[in-house]
Amino acid sequence: MDIVQFAYPFLGQAILEPNILLIQKCHYNQSVMYPLHRILVCLDLSPIDQTLMEYTAHLCKALPEAKVYFIHVSKKLEIPEEIKKMFPNVTGPADEALEKGINDEASKYFANKCDTPYEAVVKDGNETEQILKWSQVKEIDLIVMGLKKSLKGAGTNAAKITAICHASVLFVPENASFKLDRVLVPVDFSKNSAMAVDQAMALKKLGNVDVLLQNVYKVPVGYHYTGKQYVDFAIIMKHNAEKQMKTFLSAYQINEEDVTQVFNLDEDDKPADVIFTEAKVQAADMIILGSKGRTMVAAMLMGSVAVELLRVNKEIPYMIVKDKKANMGFMQAFKNL
């Protein structure tokens, strides 16, 4: 009997050989399973908007079929004095004036740099509700939001929007410069992980990106009942993770030569911190994580790791990948309640 089974017989084979072969396979080399054609960029009329526009423009160079919508939601549509100073040519009705100002600003990053069409949408009301509404109206594949560390401005209600929306979400830190040479994908060998890997491999195909697959493992409570020391059991768990990674790659038809495998021990039960630290060590340009959404409750509540990464990571662009069709079905059911 395997020593991990001996310590945790109630887990059966789950910890050793997850039945991932029964999961629908992702053929990244045949088609892009989660295309990013329609992008919604959330603006709050603060300096981070310029970063979001520039980053999105660079991203669209690798997405030839993309279309971008810039959305700003205000509780009350009127033009503040500070905005008039930012856009001195803004005149007329507030929504039209702001749309013109946003389009003019976007032209600095899109005109003559990429052929991606774009347009501004300015609405009043509840920010979260409007963003969720327009993500459905425009059948959005990717929502882009800013990650603020020091810039002033309310920013978008990132956690709530991310938890409910059907689309994938990309968080761009303030002052981020676009670079996409290396992406880190944390994997736990689930279907959610496969979605994230599939998206990373699609980016690799489009832009020759190095993909690093990271598994964060830990020594389970009760290891001492086996008579093993912590260090010895950590080695056992790493070997088990390596075995699971091999099975995972085989199940989803991913060549080991196409990815770099990274294994990290989580000694403090803080996987988000381990992920962020490794991303910095590897000089990753983006972190891509698969979102939980297999049930109505799971679709409403993001996984704890996804939430924690929002808290600890304010430096590296971070994408949460969702199954758009499954989540749109959930959103429709939720609306009909």
Side-chain angles (χ1 to χ4, degrees):
M1 178 181 291
D2 190 288
I3 195 166
V4 180
Q5 279 184 283
F6 173 77
Y8 295 91
F10 55 88
L11 291 178
Q13 291 291 325
I15 196 171
L16 298 173
E17 298 177 3
N19 198 12
I20 57 177
L21 290 172
L22 297 180
I23 299 174
Q24 181 179 359
K25 296 181 180 180
C26 303
H27 304 289
Y28 76 87
N29 56 340
Q30 297 179 13
S31 63
V32 180
M33 192 171 179
Y34 303 98
L36 305 178
H37 291 161
R38 303 173 74 82
I39 302 173
L40 184 70
V41 183
C42 303
L43 307 178
D44 66 359
L45 304 184
S46 72
I48 199 172
D49 289 357
Q50 297 172 343
T51 299
L52 297 181
M53 289 179 177
E54 183 174 18
Y55 194 95
T56 303
H58 281 289
L59 180 64
C60 286
K61 291 179 181 179
L63 304 172
E65 299 181 34
K67 179 172 182 178
V68 176
Y69 299 90
F70 296 104
I71 186 169
H72 169 68
V73 182
S74 175
K75 290 183 179 179
K76 192 174 182 180
L77 266 182
E78 57 184 31
I79 305 176
E81 288 301 319
E82 59 268 26
I83 301 304
K84 291 180 180 179
K85 293 178 182 178
M86 290 177 62
F87 306 110
N89 296 325
V90 167
T91 58
D95 58 340
E96 295 178 12
L98 288 173
E99 286 174 357
K100 182 180 185 304
I102 291 171
N103 281 323
D104 288 346
E105 186 68 18
S107 68
K108 299 177 183 178
Y109 306 101
F110 281 77
N112 302 320
K113 295 182 181 179
C114 66
D115 297 326
T116 303
Y118 62 89
E119 65 179 83
V121 177
V122 174
K123 297 294 176 182
D124 62 349
N126 180 277
E127 181 182 56
T128 300
E129 291 177 0
Q130 286 289 352
I131 290 174
L132 292 173
K133 173 186 174 180
W134 283 92
S135 70
Q136 287 192 290
V137 169
K138 297 299 184 180
E139 299 181 354
I140 295 300
D141 302 308
L142 178 69
I143 297 176
V144 180
M145 292 189 279
L147 270 179
K148 294 184 178 182
K149 186 175 182 180
S150 61
L151 288 175
K152 294 182 179 180
T156 55
N157 196 339
K160 185 182 294 185
I161 292 171
T162 305
I164 301 175
C165 73
H166 66 269
S168 298
V169 182
L170 172 62
F171 297 97
V172 179
E174 60 185 84
N175 301 321
S177 58
F178 185 83
K179 184 182 177 185
L180 200 56
D181 296 331
R182 296 165 68 82
V183 298
L184 180 74
V185 187
V187 296
D188 61 1
F189 316 121
S190 66
K191 183 179 179 180
N192 300 318
S193 293
M195 290 193 303
V197 174
D198 191 53
Q199 187 65 75
M201 299 308 288
L203 291 174
K204 177 182 178 70
K205 185 178 179 181
L206 290 171
N208 194 30
V209 178
D210 291 335
V211 176
L212 293 80
L213 303 188
Q214 177 198 28
N215 176 254
V216 178
Y217 64 95
K218 62 181 180 180
V219 174
V221 176
Y223 72 90
H224 53 279
Y225 290 119
T226 67
K228 294 285 185 179
Q229 297 295 317
Y230 182 91
V231 174
D232 296 328
F233 212 96
I235 294 173
I236 292 172
M237 295 307 296
K238 181 180 180 181
H239 289 165
N240 185 63
E242 292 170 343
K243 177 182 177 182
Q244 287 183 303
M245 181 72 81
K246 186 177 290 291
T247 304
F248 176 79
L249 295 177
S250 175
Y252 288 96
Q253 299 185 354
I254 300 171
N255 294 325
E256 292 188 36
E257 296 78 14
D258 291 337
V259 298
T260 299
Q261 301 175 36
V262 180
F263 299 90
N264 297 111
L265 174 63
D266 178 10
E267 299 186 80
D268 301 313
D269 198 23
K270 294 182 178 180
D273 293 72
V274 176
I275 291 169
F276 177 57
T277 298
E278 186 63 26
K280 293 181 69 175
V281 169
Q282 296 288 348
D285 303 308
M286 184 182 291
I287 300 171
I288 303 179
L289 188 70
S291 170
K292 296 181 179 180
R294 290 169 291 182
T295 66
M296 292 184 71
V297 174
M300 290 292 292
L301 302 174
M302 288 188 298
S304 59
V305 175
V307 174
E308 277 299 293
L309 265 176
L310 279 177
R311 182 186 64 81
V312 302
N313 172 33
K314 303 293 184 182
E315 302 176 29
I316 303 171
Y318 165 38
M319 182 185 293
I320 298 176
V321 178
K322 294 190 176 186
D323 185 338
K324 179 180 176 181
K325 292 183 179 179
N327 282 285
M328 284 190 75
F330 159 73
M331 284 297 295
Q332 189 60 46
F334 183 73
K335 286 173 62 179
N336 293 335
L337 290 178

